[in-house]
Amino acid sequence: MPTPHNNANKGDIAKTVLMPGDPLRAKFIAENYLEDPVCYNEVRGMLGYTGKYKGVPVSVQGSGMGMPSIGIYSWELFNEYGVENIIRVGTAGAIADNVQLRDVVIGMSASTNSAYASQYRLPGTYAPTASWSLISAAVKAAQEKGGSFHVGNIFSSDTFYDDADSLAQWQKIGVLAIEMEAAALYMNAARAGKNALCILTVSDCPLKGLSTSAEERQTTFRDMMEIALETAYSVK
Ligand code: HPA
């Protein structure tokens, strides 16, 4: 049965879904990496496709920007469509001094300024964490690929244009990079008893005023995609 946000029928979506923020990236991945891709969703332009990678069914679907958006799409994938693994693939701003433009960052955990966890009414502070099965597979794939990568705590922010200018404080406590979706994805996965991971490429260094060109973003995006696809393959 379709949901209010997704036209797919049950069975249309693979066990493992790659989620870029941008739905056109989902189209790019489907058309360039998957065998026989079929589009299963066009509602709100949030394109979703299922195809095969090395013979294994894999889906790829846009998440939109920010935690409310990925919160909706990932909740439905886990709870309505039986998806087991979601791997977010996206861009991030570097926070740690040793994280450079074009590096890959694997988000082991995601600190956040979002109130997403308040819905669970926990008597303390929850620590959104990625799944070890996906972290370990992604690290292996990144090592085989050979580029520069980091594994650690990322920061999922509700604001892109942030008046509080708080990145220096997150840097002091060892956070690697800023993005806007992982914490909600990790919480939805934990609550559903499923698996999630966020793999990022560093598109800019807000503390140093640096950013990559659109062309560079495309190349580094490809490296990250290949790591994500190999991760999906190894949890088949
Ligand atoms: N802030 C939030 N999200 C981002 C950034 C940033 O600087 N760069 C890429 N994604």
Side-chain angles (χ1 to χ4, degrees), residues 91-93 159-160 178-180 203-204 206:
T91 55
T159 47
F160 185 89
I178 177 172
E179 55 82 67
M180 302 183 74
S203 59
D204 55 289

Side-chain angles (χ1 to χ4, degrees), residues 4 23-24 29 61 71 90 117 123 146 150 166:
L24 293 179
I29 296 162
Q61 184 184 313
H150 310 262
S166 60

Side-chain angles (χ1 to χ4, degrees), residues 83-133:
V83 167
E84 292 293 324
N85 310 297
I86 296 181
I87 305 168
R88 162 166 153 71
V89 283
T91 55
I95 296 180
D97 220 17
N98 65 330
V99 174
Q100 317 280 343
L101 285 182
R102 296 178 286 276
D103 285 358
V104 168
V105 176
I106 295 170
M108 189 155 66
S109 52
S111 301
T112 188
N113 57 10
S114 151
Y116 201 84
S118 63
Q119 64 182 305
Y120 307 117
R121 297 168 200 216
L122 297 164
T125 306
Y126 183 70
T129 308
S131 306
W132 176 248
S133 56

Side-chain angles (χ1 to χ4, degrees), residues 62 75 102 123 125 150 159 169 173 189 193 195-197 204 234:
W75 193 96
R102 296 178 286 276
T125 306
H150 310 262
T159 47
Q169 280 146 270
I173 195 89
N195 303 304
L197 179 64
D204 55 289
S234 61

